[in-house]
Amino acid sequence: MLIYEISSEGRSATAQYEACELENSELPTAQLRVSPIGLPAVSELQVVRHYTGLSKKNFSIDGEFYPLGSCTMKYNPRGALAGAHMPGFLARHPLAPENVSQGYLSCLYDLQEYLKDVTGMRAVSLTPMAGAQGEFAGVAMIRAYHDKAGDSERTEILIPNAAHGTNPATAVMCGYTVREVPVTKEGDVDVDALKAAVGPQTAGLMMTNPSTCGVFERKIQEIAEIVHDAGGLLYYDGANLNAILGKVKPGDMGFDVMHMNLHKTFATPHGGGGPGAGPVGVGKRLEPFVPTPIVGKRSTNGEDEYYWMSDKDIPDTIGNLSAFMGNAGILLRAFAYARLLGNQGMHRVGEYATLNANYMATKMAAAGFKLAYPNRRATHEFVVSMSQEAKELNVNAMDFAKRLLDYGYHAPTTYFPLLVPEALLIEPTETESKEELDGFIEAMTQILQEAKETPELVRSAPITTPVKRLDDVKAARELNLAWKAAD
Amino acid sequence: MLIYEISSEGRSATAQYEACELENSELPTAQLRVSPIGLPAVSELQVVRHYTGLSKKNFSIDGEFYPLGSCTMKYNPRGALAGAHMPGFLARHPLAPENVSQGYLSCLYDLQEYLKDVTGMRAVSLTPMAGAQGEFAGVAMIRAYHDKAGDSERTEILIPNAAHGTNPATAVMCGYTVREVPVTKEGDVDVDALKAAVGPQTAGLMMTNPSTCGVFERKIQEIAEIVHDAGGLLYYDGANLNAILGKVKPGDMGFDVMHMNLHKTFATPHGGGGPGAGPVGVGKRLEPFVPTPIVGKRSTNGEDEYYWMSDKDIPDTIGNLSAFMGNAGILLRAFAYARLLGNQGMHRVGEYATLNANYMATKMAAAGFKLAYPNRRATHEFVVSMSQEAKELNVNAMDFAKRLLDYGYHAPTTYFPLLVPEALLIEPTETESKEELDGFIEAMTQILQEAKETPELVRSAPITTPVKRLDDVKAARELNLAWKAAD
Amino acid sequence: MPFVPHTSQDEELMLDAIGVESIEDLFDEIPPALRAGVLANTPAGISEQALLRLMSDRSKKDEVDLCFIGAGAYQHHIPSAVWDLVTRGEFMTAYTPYQAEASQGTLQLIYEFQTMITRLTAMEVANASVYDGASALAEAILMAVRANRKSKSRNVLVPGNLHPSYLSTCRNILHNQKINLQVIPYDQQSGCIKQEDLQAFEGEDFAALVIQYPNFFGGLEMADELTTWAHSQGQLVIGVVNPTALALLAPPGTWGDTGADIVVGEGQPLGIPVASGGPYLGFMCCKQAIVRQMPGRIIGKTLDLDGKVGFALTLQAREQHIRRAKATSNICTNQGLLVTAATIYMSLIGDQGLRSIASQSHNGTVQLIGKALEIKGITRRFTSPVFHEVVLELPCRASQVLQQMCTQGILGGYDLGQMDAALENCILVNVTETKTPQDIEDFITSLRAAVEVAAC
Amino acid sequence: MPFVPHTSQDEELMLDAIGVESIEDLFDEIPPALRAGVLANTPAGISEQALLRLMSDRSKKDEVDLCFIGAGAYQHHIPSAVWDLVTRGEFMTAYTPYQAEASQGTLQLIYEFQTMITRLTAMEVANASVYDGASALAEAILMAVRANRKSKSRNVLVPGNLHPSYLSTCRNILHNQKINLQVIPYDQQSGCIKQEDLQAFEGEDFAALVIQYPNFFGGLEMADELTTWAHSQGQLVIGVVNPTALALLAPPGTWGDTGADIVVGEGQPLGIPVASGGPYLGFMCCKQAIVRQMPGRIIGKTLDLDGKVGFALTLQAREQHIRRAKATSNICTNQGLLVTAATIYMSLIGDQGLRSIASQSHNGTVQLIGKALEIKGITRRFTSPVFHEVVLELPCRASQVLQQMCTQGILGGYDLGQMDAALENCILVNVTETKTPQDIEDFITSLRAAVEVAAC
Ligand SMILES: Cc1ncc(COP(=O)(O)O)c(C=O)c1O
Ligand SMILES: Cc1ncc(COP(=O)(O)O)c(C=O)c1O
């Protein structure tokens, strides 16, 4: 039932506004709205009941184990939410003067410092609103760097074929063409192919390490050298930072620029699709180009004073990327999370995320599943290929994924990375207990059994969810994107 | 799965405390605890997931229509919660001095005034912590009144047999014996029987009007006269105040004392069993005896000043009934609710609660159900008797109630009032929409059909809930009230 | 019309169905003379926006910087997760779990609560809460009088250092049932009940002895000795305990020869804000043998038709809705939502957490005492060891000093002169883990200055 | 270890299963030279209690009494129910609804959001949000360039009274794709774009015209005329609208001849706190004919295997995770939770509510203008009618006046000198329904005094 279907003209949540008509209006009559607005007409109880009911139709971290590879679905501390929701922060206008913004600015400044520390970068700008916008900022800086150097022939960005879709899409947003670099059977970038691909047209290489194959790129130093020698820069996609938090710094690996997904590594909740925050960190070469605003600190009469740095302070900046300053509230949460963890806690993130993934990989291999990279250490995630099951049992990765829902587990990421056939990318994160991991492995084992004995059951899964498998073709063909009374 | 069953020694939500040992302790060694405390050892995520999961196993107003007669399960405005949870209120210590308590005290004072207004009483004390404690306070005042008058022969409280169990239990708590007064077939108190029952031993009569039969006691003025003439006092059980809010004032009906269930009429949520607030209102006779503390107001230098009135101001008070001052937070919510509604809104409560109940009663009668009082107007609730179904179809009131759960509706109150066989006491409240009422009636109609066609289905209901019908006998016989590792 | 969803069309259809002209007609059984007019002293309704502004303004008047008052209500850190979960509609807007199948969330949670509370107190069984600590004690005394088979007495011994509001609450609730509370004077030096003081009552018939631990002055009673003595006299023992203290101190189930028989206490320190005194929760435990005398709701574990574990209200035959005039108590609505908070709190805090919090509270108290005693003229009123609360004697009227401290935004403690004129120079000061060393420093500075200003 | 549940026994069992000695061994593929040491510039972890005290202290530094700044972020009343529901774990801690069967809650909600937004704007289709209003405009311009079949131009006309941060955001995002924004100067008298000003651009090839409504100065553009003109030139029309304003004003779907083609805006006024600028949400609508050029997630209604209605992500072939380098945009994570807030807000507020709020905001603005103009030396900078925001010209530097007002806890408006030195005496002032008559009075008193102090 849609909210519109319980709507009834004349009904309204009257406590939520003071009934009011225009007085002495200066609005031109010709410009007045004549049609109804068309929002639902419902009571407060109806709204509360309706959305409480809808919420129950979602899986979530608070409800279920959610081993969605590349997405780092870990516990979102409620304390971080409480910190960000302090009344003084919620009511602060984005354009409030600096003298009544010292609380907020100091949190942002501190966060910049922590992020520099964990990434090994020289400067951090917090402004990008998600990973993809961080990527944009990063590649735009690469471009600004080459442009400033008059190096206008560099038109190409290299991207391993295992990469996330945002990488090539971003390169195009920055006016580059994309050249894919193959990945070896072991999940590493093919260095020979890379050597063959670089050249004077190379603006840079975008990659993540650990890669989306769930393995650490062992030749990263050599790769960095190859790209740098060719005059290109190295972009680090920080979506997988959770794997190495406190263990390795992208700056030390030779990366010139990176983004972080705070909504992943820094545990800010994903909100059913966002919001996120995708700060960018830069090394020496790109420092002059960081997006604005960033927060500076100076000492005035012995007191710390925080202030906005803008184009005046950073003349070569690629500029601002949002109306104000990114997803401020998410940054406050990440600050809170960083404080709760502290330096020791951050070390443990990478450690236990890795422990959990390797444990699961080992156990799943023992249970008869095929690891895509059996000779490699898993990092914080690992890839299982269901191609054998698909071939022999006619039960594919998606079927397993859907059947997991019936067992009360969210499905892993399916069919990504693209280069592994029938891929399941599994990321348990450090906040899940051994019991939870064992439960998942047990479920997978049972589903495998089902796939052998009653494959139809698995293929028609899920059966316990609010709806069964949906007709995606119909959705796309008979586009229905907004409700009409006739529906 | 119990929280203990996911507990694992050594696990802990470490962000929630700073690890600390005793230093320079002055605690005597002999008194130190040697055994473990025995709380669960779980992570923060486990706790959040566990209790999120448990919550989903509850019906609630936010989730379902909940027509539980006598309980007034209506919408609990979220704004009232927000008002009561203001940081200054949450952090206020109950013993904070008056000069830093003016905000809180002013809310309580105002609430006292509003409650006096809607009840027609002369004074209100907010301190009782629920209806039953309000009853206690009320009857204790009746006793104090007679004692003060030296009228020590009055040892009996009269109570109609339709009354709620707290009424007789309370009379006993106050050292009285209980004499029941019958109710006529029409749901009124049997006036002749009452006349026969009153006497010099009568301390008072406790009743609610509308009664738990869902009808208005038409002869209330006569009843009051009879009791008063006999030297007794009249106690009004305000659990059903919702029916007449803004329409009739108990004070005008002749009652000397009453309690209100703010957690019913004033929409403070019921919390899975409480908390409540059961303020008492009193007329002239009992004013000297009101329980402390209550809030007074005086003017100092032209400024309103609120202060606590205690035994010094009210020498004949029956005294305090809790460590501090009742369920303060619930009182703040009721204040908020009263402000949101205002005088007009309060009138509407009684009106629409009554409209909804009468509509449902009419429709259910039309659908073939037997009203217990078919010749009466329903008030805010009404009684259906399922005795015919029980006899003819062997499907009883409880079976209907349980089957309703499968239809997504909470069951009405069953087997109460006791004098109606196979009773269902149905109270829709004013905050439910016609659609919701129609849905319920439709469900009842279908269940009736089921009872005829597949009675076994109804008798084995519910089938969609987390558990099926529970073995109450086993629960009482093999008492298991706390988990042990062996369980 | 806030919260009333009826459209005028709905209203018409409904009136038609009923067969009346107007809503007014539905009130036709009410004698016209009784019909009320407008509510003259109730203001018009306001919007939620206006309400929140009003309440925000009022609440700000009550804000202080630091509060060192305890006296039965203690400020502890409450994990954010606690109330985020408690205020989920499914917990907050459910009724009493009478329909077990539709209330397994609340029922299982209370069963977990009962388990946690029995473990914390080392008792056998617990109920699902009563109103607050004070009324819990009143219920416990009634229960003891019913349960004590060795005694027919309606007399009960209570300590003179019992929380004064607990004492008066009990008196007010119990006197109509002719239960008499005999107060044992506390030792003026230690502030505790001494065994010698009990000799006066030896041989007399009392149904029970009440022990508050720590007592109102924060001091630690000799609970073992008192328990053994009471049992030797045929009395039941009722412990009134602070749950945080039990993290470090011997739980009542282990006191003396066979442990306390009934244990009650204020659950507020377990995740509930001080919030002007309520809603809190009174917890209540006892030995299994007397469980049928315990009032209040009790949840039991059982099985459903399919043999699946489930939870349900049990022993309901003790309660008013079944037993009416013969019930163990008139209590009906209790403090369910606060039980939810306390259960989630205890889960999050765990053994290690509660021990740490108790230790931090004790350490801070010891620290504060040490520093306070350096101020000229300030002494410790009683000699007994304390947990997280202490009585300081000032060289002048406590009320003056506290008033002075209050102007600096510090509530320095509870003025004991309100309880007993003989203690008018005394304050009862509490320190919990919420107070940093700097907070204690600020307290001391303010206290020192206030004592000086009071010029004594 | 906050948030890591592993006991030492778990850890041992797991390491055993893997067949390594220690967690360190799991990092053996990382070149040792790359291994990081301690994080020297990150402090040690603190407890939640300490964190909340720290953040509370910091947040208090930022509190003011009254804020009259708007300029793209507007303080409105937010019903308490909104965030109580939004912060339910099931909404807040879910991922993007890739597994539709396990995400019907979020999916249906977004479908409802799309419906509400299309109705509010009178457009045919909407997406599930992009980052914010400014980036939404950048995406809209890219979309227009792709979608306009009549034009091959990468030039787009934007008004000079566009929100300056929107303009710079668009420039920064678009210039790498060689998209050129041609600014139309606004009329110095009215503050609006006049049709005469457009003549200069007639005949030139532009892919689209952007109209901000109300414009940055709060003024109402002649949207009908501008739309018709742009269409006559073969341009698409992109509306940038304030959703509250649309309660009273003609929605873009009805502008001019055939309505705007693409509409974007900042969704913040719909239930989202101003909160330092984010997270907000950019909404985005268009005509059905060009829906395949719209970036971002889109939810469609469909049926499941049993023929039951359900909702799913649709047209995913436009998105980066499928289309990679050929995607309509690189956007992935969007502002889902804010969509949740906006949807619940719009449900609660409804037509009547939004109209009332808009009326109250407009009435308050007119009131404030009237009173401000009574202050000597203050004039209205532009003549065009405004909705809920106005430019006042002061007799002195705005920055001075605003600073002075700020010392009284009032943020008096946005200093337009920051945008354009020619406007250094001008402030942009916003009034919403959150401002009572008394607030407006306080503003006026403070402004009057500040203007006097500034001694101009
Ligand atoms: C590897 C990788 N890179 C980039 C991104 C894009 O980040 P965002 O979704 O925050 O824009 C993701 C997100 O799923 C990712 O997994
Ligand atoms: C008629 C009636 N009286 C009294 C009470 C007791 O009120 P409380 O539960 O608040 O103690 C109730 C509660 O169910 C009731 O319905």
Side-chain angles (χ1 to χ4, degrees), chain A residues 54-116:
Chain A
L54 281 192
S55 79
K56 292 184 192 168
K57 296 185 175 179
N58 272 0
F59 276 41
S60 67
I61 272 295
D62 280 7
E64 289 84 15
F65 178 46
Y66 214 122
L68 204 61
S70 204
C71 299
T72 313
M73 292 295 282
K74 59 186 187 178
Y75 175 57
N76 307 132
R78 288 274 165 172
L81 176 69
H85 279 196
M86 294 284 167
F89 290 141
L90 284 183
R92 183 185 167 275
H93 193 282
L95 300 172
E98 283 165 0
N99 63 320
V100 286
S101 305
Q102 292 296 301
Y104 170 67
L105 289 172
S106 63
C107 293
L108 260 48
Y109 181 86
D110 288 347
L111 179 61
Q112 290 172 182
E113 294 300 303
Y114 309 153
L115 295 181
K116 278 155 64 177

Side-chain angles (χ1 to χ4, degrees), chain A residues 334-415:
Chain A
F335 165 78
Y337 183 71
R339 291 305 308 252
L340 287 170
L341 251 53
N343 46 18
Q344 294 295 329
M346 291 201 196
H347 277 285
R348 287 186 191 114
V349 166
E351 288 175 355
Y352 288 89
T354 302
L355 176 64
N356 274 0
N358 278 282
Y359 174 73
M360 281 186 87
T362 306
K363 287 288 215 179
M364 287 199 51
F369 292 94
K370 205 177 133 244
L371 301 182
Y373 303 99
N375 305 322
R376 300 294 307 270
R377 274 284 176 242
T379 55
H380 65 309
E381 62 189 1
F382 63 98
V383 186
V384 171
S385 171
M386 309 299 290
S387 56
Q388 196 175 316
E389 288 80 357
K391 227 174 298 157
E392 293 173 8
L393 308 170
N394 198 16
V395 177
N396 62 22
M398 189 59 86
D399 297 328
F400 272 82
K402 296 296 185 194
R403 184 63 180 149
L404 272 168
L405 304 178
D406 286 331
Y407 279 84
Y409 296 103
H410 195 278
T413 298
T414 51
Y415 300 99

Side-chain angles (χ1 to χ4, degrees), chain D residues 129-315:
Chain D
S129 85
V130 295
Y131 303 129
D132 76 340
S135 58
L137 178 55
E139 293 283 1
I141 292 173
L142 278 172
M143 178 182 167
V145 169
R146 281 192 303 269
N148 191 338
R149 302 218 176 144
K150 295 191 192 140
S151 162
K152 289 221 142 39
S153 170
R154 298 184 81 78
N155 295 335
V156 169
L157 283 169
V158 297
N161 55 19
L162 180 65
H163 192 301
S165 294
Y166 281 44
L167 180 59
S168 55
T169 297
C170 289
R171 282 225 171 93
N172 298 333
I173 291 179
L174 302 174
H175 79 103
N176 285 331
Q177 292 190 63
K178 307 268 176 289
I179 287 174
N180 176 43
L181 304 181
Q182 174 71 51
V183 175
I184 317 166
Y186 61 86
D187 174 52
Q188 286 297 317
Q189 206 184 342
S190 68
C192 288
I193 302 300
K194 284 184 30 199
Q195 227 180 328
E196 301 93 274
D197 302 331
L198 295 172
Q199 286 165 5
F201 305 103
E202 248 163 47
E204 267 184 80
D205 190 6
F206 290 99
L209 166 71
V210 172
I211 303 171
Q212 190 179 7
Y213 186 80
N215 63 39
F216 183 62
F217 302 130
L220 303 182
E221 298 291 337
M222 305 294 274
D224 287 330
E225 287 77 357
L226 297 179
T227 299
T228 305
W229 177 83
H231 284 161
S232 77
Q233 300 289 310
Q235 301 165 12
L236 296 185
V237 169
I238 302 172
V240 184
V241 295
N242 177 310
T244 314
L246 297 187
L248 298 176
L249 296 166
T254 68
W255 289 350
D257 50 353
T258 55
D261 302 282
I262 305 172
V263 175
V264 297
E266 177 50 67
Q268 176 275 326
L270 303 170
I272 299 166
V274 290
S276 289
Y280 294 170
L281 75 95
F283 61 82
M284 195 160 194
C285 317
C286 67
K287 293 192 169 159
Q288 170 116 23
I290 53 175
V291 64
R292 284 183 166 75
Q293 295 304 333
M294 182 156 60
R297 296 180 187 133
I298 298 177
I299 310 303
K301 187 171 166 180
T302 184
L303 300 177
D304 78 353
L305 280 178
D306 294 346
K308 194 172 163 190
V309 168
F311 303 88
L313 288 163
T314 193
L315 301 183

Side-chain angles (χ1 to χ4, degrees), chain B residues 69-72 129-135 162-167 170 208 210-212 235 237-240 259-264 270 273 275-278 381 416 425 427, chain C residues 95-96 98 131 297 320 330-334:
Chain B
S70 205
C71 299
T72 314
M129 290 180 288
Q133 207 184 36
E135 292 178 36
H164 193 261
T166 48
N167 293 183
T170 297
T208 176
S211 72
T212 53
Y235 184 93
D237 178 334
N240 291 344
H259 80 266
M260 295 144 256
N261 297 64
L262 298 188
H263 44 303
K264 299 179 177 183
H270 213 284
E381 61 189 0
F416 180 79
L425 179 60
E427 178 178 10
Chain C
Y95 201 75
T96 305
Y98 291 133
Y131 303 130
R297 295 180 188 134
Q320 48 70 31
N330 71 338
I331 192 167
C332 177
T333 286
N334 64 9

Side-chain angles (χ1 to χ4, degrees), chain A residues 70 130-132 135 164 166 212 237 239 259 261 263-264, chain D residues 95 332-333:
Chain A
S70 204
E135 292 178 36
H164 193 261
T166 48
T212 53
D237 177 334
H259 80 267
N261 297 64
H263 44 304
K264 300 180 177 183
Chain D
Y95 201 75
C332 176
T333 287

